Amino acid sequence: MTNAEEKNILTNKDSNIAITSEEEPVLSLLVKPNPKLHVCVNDFTQRCARSLKYFLPGTRISFLKQVSDWLNSPEMQKEENFGTEHKKQKNNRTIFWLSGDAGTGKTIMSSRLIQLEYNHSLIGWHFCSHTNILQNSTVSIIESVSGMISANLPEYDAAISDLDQDELKEAKEKNDSMKVFELLFTKPLNKMAPPTDINGKICPKLIVVDALDEIYEIYLEAFLKIIRDGCSELPPWVKIFITSRRYDIIKKYLFAKVSFTIANICVVWMQHT
């Protein structure tokens, strides 16, 4: 299949993804969260723009189609996946893990995905960096992404209307990242009805977290526990795209409770068991 054929399939049949020209203006990633959350939202506009300079238009079509197929999986439309026992469904692939060595283009692909899905499924994103420890703690990542969700998903505001600020404050003071995740992600997102389009079709919502391997070691294990344990409690319409190098500690946590199938040498599909 030629690139042109793949491009036609991707844009016209499988998703809203479309190839854009390099003359597009810089995508602003600065959002204003719900003030009730009292969270600091990170601005990754320049980080994303720098990475997109290295993206060659018309390339990585097959990979982007893989992501689109995962994001728009037919399994997500099945009613049985949205009952109280949704977390036990083995056919809902919550996580897409892109792995590879340094310099293989993982951050470029994260940036491209953010660019393509910005006005469609994207509700939150984070670029981890070892040069900024304040943005790299597990709690700060959770808070920043939750602020983005509040800005991009209006229904989320209603879902956090009864958020116990004292309980959240206590969890943050104790650095209990799993509790913070429960209060800002698990509880409110499970209260919400699945987002749908005008035809009643369930619309997936995407969160992108790039470069897990750049999270400081003192925080990395806590974040991996959330990926391993916390994400299995999220509703099926929430999809999380992560990237990292194949470090042993990352493989240890992701493979411990997650079944996976290799899509190609660098990409792994994952579903909670």
Side-chain angles (χ1 to χ4, degrees), residues 23 100 235 237:
E23 288 79 20
W237 51 267

Side-chain angles (χ1 to χ4, degrees), residues 66-86:
Q66 284 181 298
V67 177
S68 176
D69 289 345
W70 159 74
L71 191 60
N72 299 285
S73 168
E75 295 294 339
M76 190 181 57
Q77 303 299 327
K78 294 184 177 180
E79 293 182 3
E80 62 264 28
N81 287 343
F82 289 87
T84 56
E85 298 298 316
H86 71 77

